Amino acid sequence: MSHGRGKSDCCVVPKKLPNKAAGATPAAAEAVEGRRQAKGNALAARMSRRSSRTYDMGTALDGIRQTARGRRDAKFAGLLHHIYAVERLRAAYLALKRDAAAGVDGQTWQSYGESLEANLLDLSDRLARGGYRPQPVKRVFIDKADGSKRPLGVPALEDKIVQRASVEVLNAIYEQDFCGFSYGFRPGKSAHNALDAVSVGVSNRKVNWILDADIAKFFDTIEHDWLVKFIEHRVADTRVVRLIKKWLHAGVLADGRLTQSELGTVQGGSISPLLANIYLHYAFDLWVKQWRGRHARGDMIAVRYADDWIAGFQFRDDAERFWRAVAERLGQFGLKLHPEKTRLIEFGRFARDNRGRRGQGKPDTFDFLGFTHCCGKTRKGWFMVLRLTSAKRMRAKLLAVKTELRRRMHQPIAEQGQYLRSVVAGHARYFAVPCNGARVQTFRFQVGRLWHRTLCRRSQAKHLSWKRMHKIVDHWLPSPRICHPYPNQRLIVTTRGRSRMR
């Protein structure tokens, strides 16, 4: 066998004949085959072999869940093959929003789907052999309720797919570990579950003081080293840890400049909420549980949704000691409480009577997840947590509607009506809780008023009468109705002894 200079290798022919090959039978023992010349189909062969394997997504993670539930100290080494399974990548792609903004690569959901199977096979192969490289995240800004801007990141489409597949696999582990009072961005839990937990906890437990807290710039101050250490408590697959590090160090592209940092995770990716929950699980949740059992003299509740959390106490000295202790605890991991958004207020079943005896007026209120919580009463005079739409949140939404109507001023009434119908219906789906119907109705009325003003500005010759406007509003804007049950009907909180906390 000879090799010419500058030429591709030809096929490799075995020099030694196989044993018992004299008869040239096909079933000769120890048969040796020559290696054919590579023609660029090695990748396709590997991908076809991997895609031909059967992978049952329904049961693939059951063993991980059972082990994580039964062994709190178990570490999982074989996880990456669950992530790069083509079936899981396909499900992650189909779960993405069709009209989501494109990342730095400009790839859209529709364009990627034109050659979906080939793209997924190639992505799976790159993940399996370590050739996957995430792209920088594109920086965008959205308006917040207080008038400031919230930075968000838009990952590339393939990064979204891999992140969503990784979240599904890692959730099989961490959903067995997370505490019951953690509600943010978890499967089967929502913001309304957290709101119900606050209402039921304050109503059923001896809560007289509320610590309303917020972590300042949480997503921007997460320390990568601590985050990796927390992940390694449960994940022993170095390839998965390396994959997470790639996302943390991918950087942010804003105004043509690429910036990288050893702090923070970019909001907007599918992996960011899970990483935030893992960070706060070890830095905050587990510590809160042990502090309650060791140091609290009276009843205590806690509810956390992402970086917003509420803690309730029976005694004021418990609340003050907890405030000082939690500030010190968070400081050990590079976090700090927001000085303006963290405060201690008197709130609960006996707050109105106690403050009345001291001549201090009615109890203060606090905002949590878009609702203002007040000390209210039922028709029979019993205490209840009254939840009303936050005035700040309503003003911000109405301002956004006003700006959008100005942009849509010359569209047909039908197109404007379809847009406003979705706005009013979406607002009601979230805010239409018991005893908040008046404010939901107010929002609908204000949207109709803004719409009337916009239609009147379209022409200086004619003025749209309110009689006709009422017909338009009644036709397009749905009348609000209560969409959620009472908290104690949807959330059952058992508080047997001091070992359980919601």
Side-chain angles (χ1 to χ4, degrees), residues 227-368:
L227 179 58
V228 172
K229 289 181 181 179
F230 294 152
I231 293 173
E232 289 176 344
H233 282 312
R234 281 297 228 173
V235 179
D237 193 333
T238 57
R239 300 170 300 172
V240 175
V241 176
R242 191 181 305 117
L243 184 63
I244 295 175
K245 288 181 179 179
K246 289 180 180 180
W247 289 322
L248 294 175
H249 299 146
V252 177
L253 187 65
D255 299 329
R257 297 180 57 185
L258 179 64
T259 59
Q260 293 179 330
S261 175
E262 294 299 323
L263 295 175
T265 61
V266 180
Q267 299 184 62
S270 300
I271 197 70
S272 296
L274 176 61
L275 296 181
N277 277 335
I278 294 174
Y279 199 88
L280 286 177
H281 172 70
Y282 290 100
F284 178 77
D285 295 352
L286 295 179
W287 178 86
V288 169
K289 291 185 67 175
Q290 67 86 20
W291 193 95
R292 178 187 185 274
R294 296 180 182 179
H295 303 287
R297 294 193 302 115
D299 280 354
M300 174 183 170
I301 65 168
V303 177
R304 181 178 66 82
Y305 191 91
D307 57 330
D308 295 332
W309 53 273
I310 296 292
F313 305 86
Q314 181 178 355
F315 301 115
R316 178 167 185 165
D317 63 326
D318 280 352
E320 293 174 343
R321 286 188 293 109
F322 179 84
W323 190 351
R324 292 190 296 267
V326 74
E328 181 180 355
R329 170 70 178 182
L330 294 176
Q332 298 176 4
F333 302 97
L335 307 175
K336 63 178 181 179
L337 297 177
H338 198 293
E340 297 179 359
K341 297 182 180 180
T342 303
R343 62 195 183 109
L344 180 64
I345 64 172
E346 190 172 7
F347 192 95
R349 287 180 289 170
F350 311 107
R352 186 183 299 273
D353 295 336
N354 293 339
R355 292 178 64 86
R357 286 195 297 267
R358 297 193 299 264
Q360 294 179 337
K362 61 183 182 180
D364 293 332
T365 63
F366 65 93
D367 289 352
F368 185 58

